[in-house]
Amino acid sequence: MPSRTVQPANGPLRGHIHVPGDKSISHRALMLGAMAVGETVIEGLLEGEDVLATAAAMRAMGATIERRGATWHVWGVGVGGLLQPATALDMGNSGTSTRLLMGLVASHPITATFVGDTSLSQRPMGRVIEPLSLMGTDFTASPSGRLPLMVRGLCPAVPIEYRLPVASAQVKSAVLLAGLNTPGITRVIEPVATRDHSERMLAGFGAEVWREGDVISIRGEAELKPQRITVPGDPSSAAFATVAALIVPGSEVTIANVGMNPTRAGLYDVLRSMGASIAFGQQRSVGGEPVADLVVSASTLTAVKTDPTIVASMVDEFPVLFVAAAFARGRSVFRGLEELRVKESDRIAVMAAALRAIGARVEELPDGLAIEGTGGEPLPGGGTIATHLDHRIAMSLAVAALNCRAGVALDDDAPVATSYPRFFADIGALHTA
Ligand code: S3P
């Protein structure tokens, strides 16, 4: 485990960074490219470990995937054409790869075994096993529906209408992807809107997908046409430099290429409601998704109480929002965050422990956190943070370190490679710019 001590900023953060490709969109571009017949070309793919796990799995099931200079090229097998993988599919740390691929395999006549690291092996897969079993797929999972697990697909599978019991784009996407090779119409009812990248990209590849109110339908046995895709930057990765610029006095940072899909951009609304100075320049469309360049200036933040209805649009951004709250004026309260307990780590408990270790005043609630902010003053810092194989914990505490008197030691900085391999270089460049 490579440990790392992040020192406090030695002055304002200044300069310009270009955010790496969106993780969610990168996974889907590889998967749908692999389900099309012909060559899909992807620009801006996130070359993080999670996405590379998806690429390896698609190769193991018959797709040809190559990097040529700045672009990735996928020659797909066509819907219905996935091959039986010869060995277990290693999903590493990636819940998105696992759950979406379980959906794809579910309606193909193949058997696949999924394995992952110790973090992924503790995460619940029952939420995907349940709807896919209704479609006829057979699962052999480890106790309480965990990895390692084996999926025996059924072809033809049975189309279902499934109401999501948790607000989860991964579960929604697993069912829609299973629906791709299922005769008839598969429907997902989503009481709370979650990220819609699967729907957008399936439509872009030529599948018949439509939404009526909270019902999303897909007509199966679709024929996908290869595409040229440009992946926009990841708003979840941009969140770290955003909060860093807000909490380090005197900073002004431009963060280019930030995806602003409304199903992802909740953090930016919440930060602005806390008094953050964030300007959205160069608004444009990239790969069918809205994108902007953000100009973020250090700001005096005030405490916030988030509305549980905003959670789905910023589900991955709470760890770094907790850091912003730790430097805001007043007591922030975040509730309705039960889902955070089943991410790469229990992000409520782990962030409570980490923030306390750097001197913040935090109360852990069953479904969230209450945080008493410093009003902008630095926190003491010091102590070593347990990151629990969770990239977003590591990056959030690295951001907090910038405004801690003694900096912060991370027990393990390797997890950042799952979603943002250049993270430390990008933040470091803002110091010297
Ligand atoms: C993702 C959906 C979210 C998110 C994850 C990526 C996706 O998970 O936390 O990082 O790409 O669909 P849930 O859908 O389980 O909330």
Side-chain angles (χ1 to χ4, degrees):
M1 285 208 307
S3 59
R4 174 190 290 258
T5 299
V6 183
Q7 301 298 341
N10 55 9
L13 304 182
R14 292 286 161 101
H16 180 284
I17 60 170
H18 189 88
V19 179
D22 189 285
K23 180 157 75 70
S24 292
I25 296 174
S26 296
H27 284 298
R28 288 157 172 83
L30 289 171
M31 290 181 196
L32 295 189
M35 302 311 295
V37 177
E39 181 185 359
T40 286
V41 181
I42 309 168
E43 208 179 304
L45 188 85
L46 170 66
E47 296 178 357
E49 288 169 0
D50 280 13
V51 173
L52 299 179
T54 289
M58 298 322 299
R59 282 193 193 107
M61 291 189 283
T64 299
I65 302 180
E66 280 175 15
R67 179 184 202 246
R68 289 188 187 163
T71 52
W72 284 73
H73 299 249
V74 183
W75 289 266
V77 294
V79 171
L82 289 181
L83 304 179
Q84 167 112 10
T87 54
L89 302 174
D90 186 354
M91 303 282 94
N93 188 250
S94 180
T96 309
S97 310
T98 310
R99 296 194 177 116
L100 271 57
L101 289 176
M102 284 168 68
L104 272 184
V105 168
S107 56
H108 280 75
I110 60 173
T111 296
T113 299
F114 292 80
V115 299
D117 71 6
T118 50
S119 153
L120 184 59
S121 302
Q122 285 162 28
R123 299 183 65 187
M125 297 298 151
R127 54 182 56 197
V128 188
I129 293 174
E130 183 189 292
L132 298 177
S133 299
L134 296 172
M135 299 180 80
T137 309
D138 187 54
F139 293 90
T140 310
S142 299
S144 34
R146 318 265 147 159
L147 261 48
L149 64 74
M150 190 167 78
V151 183
R152 247 176 256 103
L154 178 71
C155 186
V158 182
I160 57 168
E161 178 171 305
Y162 187 71
R163 189 180 183 84
L164 293 177
V166 279
S168 168
Q170 293 182 352
V171 180
K172 168 176 69 175
S173 302
V175 176
L176 293 175
L177 291 175
L180 252 188
N181 194 39
T182 300
I185 294 170
T186 297
R187 292 199 163 90
V188 181
I189 303 164
E190 123 172 302
V192 178
T194 63
R195 65 192 69 195
D196 61 359
H197 307 302
S198 295
E199 300 92 301
R200 285 178 189 240
M201 200 180 287
L202 280 162
F205 271 84
E208 217 182 306
V209 187
W210 65 101
R211 175 185 273 274
E212 291 152 308
D214 58 3
V215 185
I216 303 144
S217 306
I218 182 164
R219 187 182 299 283
E221 301 185 307
E223 215 170 283
L224 300 189
K225 293 181 192 58
Q227 300 296 308
R228 196 174 175 101
I229 296 170
T230 304
V231 179
D234 197 323
S236 302
S237 297
F240 300 106
T242 300
V243 172
L246 291 173
I247 65 171
V248 176
S251 298
E252 185 179 302
V253 170
T254 299
I255 307 169
N257 187 37
V258 186
M260 283 283 127
N261 179 316
T263 63
R264 294 286 301 282
L267 173 74
Y268 299 93
D269 294 336
V270 172
L271 288 174
R272 295 229 289 189
S273 77
M274 296 170 77
S277 166
I278 305 176
F280 299 87
Q282 306 291 320
Q283 297 188 28
R284 58 202 185 271
S285 173
V286 173
E289 299 268 350
V291 166
D293 293 347
L294 310 189
V295 181
V296 184
S297 307
S299 304
T300 305
L301 300 176
T302 50
V304 71
K305 286 190 174 49
T306 48
D307 184 330
T309 60
I310 204 168
V311 173
S313 68
M314 53 175 297
V315 67
D316 291 335
E317 282 66 81
F318 280 95
V320 79
L321 177 61
F322 297 156
V323 169
F327 294 102
R329 194 185 312 116
R331 179 180 161 90
S332 293
V333 182
F334 306 102
R335 313 272 336 223
L337 306 184
E338 299 82 352
E339 274 296 297
L340 265 64
R341 294 204 183 271
V342 292
K343 295 294 180 189
E344 286 82 331
S345 68
D346 175 343
R347 287 180 175 164
I348 296 177
V350 171
M351 281 303 295
L355 289 172
R356 282 193 193 114
I358 62 171
R361 286 162 58 196
V362 180
E363 185 190 343
E364 184 176 342
L365 308 168
D367 62 340
L369 283 186
I371 301 171
E372 194 72 52
T374 63
E377 289 302 307
L379 282 164
T384 298
I385 304 300
T387 51
H388 295 271
L389 289 179
D390 188 332
H391 53 139
R392 299 201 199 279
I393 302 295
M395 291 188 278
S396 297
L397 270 295
V399 167
L402 301 173
N403 201 13
C404 282
R405 284 189 207 94
V408 173
L410 307 175
D411 66 342
D412 184 11
D413 68 5
V416 308
T418 63
S419 67
Y420 194 168
R422 285 197 331 250
F423 170 75
F424 289 108
D426 278 358
I427 296 290
L430 296 176
H431 281 78
T432 51

